[in-house]
Amino acid sequence: MKKENTPAYTVINTVCKLKKSEKIIIVANPETADMAQDLYAASLECGAEPTLLFQPAKKAMDAAEPAVINALKSEPDVFLSISFMKLGKDPEAAANPYTTDDGQKFDHIFDYLLNGKKTMRAVWTPGLTQNMFDRTVNIDYALLAERCNQLGKKFENAVSATVTSPAGTNLTVPLENRKALFDNGDFSKPGSGGNIPAGEVFISPVVGNPLQDGTGCNGTIVYDGSMTFGDGDSIISTPINVTVKNGFVTSVKGKQEAKRLLNTIQEAENKAVKMEKEGKLPKGQGEIYKRNARNIGELGIGLNPSAIISGNMLEDEKAFKTCHFAIGQNYDGDAPSLIHLDGVVKNPTIVIHYKDGSSFTALENGELKI
């Protein structure tokens, strides 16, 4: 294979458009060493200044190694988290959040540099495997960008969306004044970033009020594809039935996978309260983080033609004919949580509703309608 056709070359030159003399930091785990080293070599070839660090694989609520956080403090131009699971949390920023001039608060230096200061561009790959890297990276990024743009425009001026599925999902999702975000594989400008494999449009629902009826998402989600749990991702053998009221999960029913999901949510709730008592979260934030462990934080639509449902959420949420809902933290910064648990719904119908009473069917039984 010619080097310009390798996944590593594509990530460095097509996705990130790395430039000569730019500083790039690559953080990996022993499990992702080969991919990280290929990315390091591709960075050197284009004249950049790469640094490669290894840390142990991190679970959802583990902290990143201090050396990784300190590396981020050097404010690189590009940051690649080539993770077997997660990058890891930033305990220092959780206790004393970074604050931008306009008052936005960030509990991780990664988010502060990417979304706050917008001085860095980034790629993050929680769960990346060599097989997935080889299969899903070399796609038509121009076509992906066009699909993302078209679908993203359909969310402009939306007030809500209705999501249904053959398995029983029936959820109303409030979207007024929310903006769709793209994981379109173009991470060439400061402040841009996303997953590899790329390929989704996603949006954060309006955060509900647990004490006020009719706010937030309402209805039922039936996860029947795959799910992220505190101890990893899995294909779902028995659907997980989640009831949502006023934006928050009120019940989780099913079999073994439902128990795993509920245990992960409860662990995040309990840990949030504990962290505040230990001074690891600012006063008053423990209850907020606890509440948002049940928040519906994302509606996403998969757009990568090479992705399949494999039991690895990094790929699963990009698969065609699927959507995904996340439980926990959102992308608009108004629902902080210790978790962000994605779950896949197969063959959804998604109807977007507008202020003038009109609507647009974005997916019908999983088929994209743009």
Side-chain angles (χ1 to χ4, degrees), residues 163-171 220-224 323 325 345-346 348:
V163 184
T164 56
S165 76
T169 293
N170 191 343
L171 192 75
T220 302
I221 303 171
V222 180
Y223 294 111
D224 62 340
C323 74
F325 293 99
V345 173
K346 296 190 291 187

Side-chain angles (χ1 to χ4, degrees), residues 152-164:
K153 287 179 181 178
K154 295 299 183 181
F155 281 102
E156 292 177 2
N157 302 312
V159 293
S160 66
T162 303
V163 184
T164 56

Side-chain angles (χ1 to χ4, degrees), residues 72-130:
L72 275 162
K73 289 181 180 179
S74 72
E75 301 197 13
D77 299 296
V78 177
F79 183 86
L80 306 186
S81 175
I82 310 303
S83 308
F84 183 65
M85 293 181 74
K86 298 288 187 179
L87 173 62
K89 297 190 178 301
D90 182 348
E92 182 181 331
N96 297 285
Y98 291 93
T99 305
T100 58
D101 292 341
D102 61 358
Q104 295 182 78
K105 293 185 180 296
F106 296 90
D107 61 6
H108 203 297
I109 187 171
F110 174 93
D111 297 311
Y112 173 63
L113 296 177
L114 181 67
N115 301 313
K117 292 185 71 176
K118 298 186 185 298
T119 55
M120 183 177 78
R121 53 197 199 274
V123 167
W124 54 98
T125 67
L128 187 66
T129 66
Q130 186 71 58

Side-chain angles (χ1 to χ4, degrees), residues 43-282:
S43 302
L44 280 176
E45 287 176 7
C46 78
E49 299 175 10
T51 300
L52 175 58
L53 292 83
F54 287 95
Q55 66 173 354
K58 301 294 182 179
K59 294 182 180 179
M61 283 176 272
D62 290 343
E65 295 300 311
V68 170
I69 299 300
N70 286 330
L72 275 162
K73 289 181 180 179
S74 72
E75 301 197 13
D77 299 296
V78 177
F79 183 86
L80 306 186
S81 175
I82 310 303
S83 308
F84 183 65
M85 293 181 74
K86 298 288 187 179
L87 173 62
K89 297 190 178 301
D90 182 348
E92 182 181 331
N96 297 285
Y98 291 93
T99 305
T100 58
D101 292 341
D102 61 358
Q104 295 182 78
K105 293 185 180 296
F106 296 90
D107 61 6
H108 203 297
I109 187 171
F110 174 93
D111 297 311
Y112 173 63
L113 296 177
L114 181 67
N115 301 313
K117 292 185 71 176
K118 298 186 185 298
T119 55
M120 183 177 78
R121 53 197 199 274
V123 167
W124 54 98
T125 67
L128 187 66
T129 66
Q130 186 71 58
N131 177 274
M132 190 194 310
F133 197 50
D134 292 340
R135 283 188 298 103
T136 63
V137 173
N138 287 333
I139 61 173
D140 186 337
Y141 285 97
L143 178 58
L144 174 60
E146 178 61 23
R147 284 172 169 160
C148 286
N149 287 335
Q150 288 184 31
L151 188 54
K153 287 179 181 178
K154 295 299 183 181
F155 281 102
E156 292 177 2
N157 302 312
V159 293
S160 66
T162 303
V163 184
T164 56
S165 76
T169 293
N170 191 343
L171 192 75
T172 299
V173 183
L175 298 173
E176 192 164 7
N177 298 321
R178 293 305 218 191
K179 183 178 180 181
L181 302 173
F182 306 156
D183 193 347
N184 62 4
D186 181 4
F187 311 141
S188 59
K189 297 178 182 178
S192 66
N195 290 155
I196 288 296
E200 66 170 303
V201 169
F202 56 102
I203 192 166
S204 297
V206 176
V207 178
N209 183 337
L211 302 178
Q212 184 178 342
D213 284 344
T215 63
C217 297
N218 280 279
T220 302
I221 303 171
V222 180
Y223 294 111
D224 62 340
S226 58
M227 190 80 214
T228 296
F229 306 97
D231 57 353
D233 303 338
S234 296
I235 289 178
I236 295 171
S237 57
T238 304
I240 303 173
N241 193 306
V242 174
T243 301
V244 182
K245 184 176 180 180
N246 300 328
F248 298 89
V249 172
T250 58
S251 73
V252 179
K253 295 180 180 179
K255 293 187 177 179
Q256 190 58 38
E257 288 101 339
K259 292 178 181 178
R260 287 176 71 189
L261 176 57
L262 186 57
N263 286 342
T264 302
I265 292 171
Q266 291 173 338
E267 181 183 359
E269 291 174 322
N270 294 335
K271 188 167 184 178
V273 174
K274 182 180 179 182
M275 286 176 67
E276 182 181 335
K277 289 180 179 178
E278 294 173 345
K280 295 178 180 178
L281 283 176

Side-chain angles (χ1 to χ4, degrees), residues 332-355:
D332 281 33
D334 53 358
S337 173
L338 296 177
I339 53 175
H340 179 94
L341 309 174
D342 289 302
V344 172
V345 173
K346 296 190 291 187
N347 300 312
T349 295
I350 301 178
V351 181
I352 303 171
H353 305 283
Y354 305 96
K355 287 183 179 180

